[in-house]
Amino acid sequence: MNEFPIAFFTTLNIGSFIYFGVDKRKALKHQHRITEGKLLTMTFFGGTIGSILGMVIFNHKTNKKSFVLKILGILLFQILIISMIWNYYRLNI
């Protein structure tokens, strides 16, 4: 099995988790923040688990309904893509 995807997604999720923690800390200190676009980009490209853990553990952006809906939309999109890939390979093997 190729280790690259595992290393890639592990690194991305750790980075995403750290991003949410840093943004929460900056919010508490009233400093310049990480944009929502950057947080959502990390989530979209595979950092979903890290993002959700960061939101829950740091209690960050959990009350912002529009942001939570965007995270859920990304999660549903990723589930759809994974299921399509899974079904493609299952039918063609």
Side-chain angles (χ1 to χ4, degrees), residues 1-37:
M1 183 174 179
N2 191 351
E3 292 86 15
F4 177 76
I6 295 169
F8 175 78
F9 285 111
T10 300
T11 304
L12 194 57
N13 278 287
I14 291 170
S16 186
F17 179 79
I18 291 170
Y19 244 38
F20 273 81
V22 168
D23 192 47
K24 177 65 175 191
R25 186 166 198 189
K26 287 184 174 197
L28 293 173
K29 291 185 172 189
H30 303 288
Q31 295 177 342
H32 190 269
R33 309 264 308 273
I34 297 170
T35 64
E36 280 190 11

Side-chain angles (χ1 to χ4, degrees), residues 36-37 40 43-44 64-76:
E36 280 190 11
L40 290 169
T43 304
F44 181 80
K64 193 166 183 184
K65 196 174 195 175
S66 65
F67 188 80
V68 172
L69 289 174
K70 290 173 188 173
I71 293 285
L72 285 174
I74 290 170
L75 179 63
L76 290 174

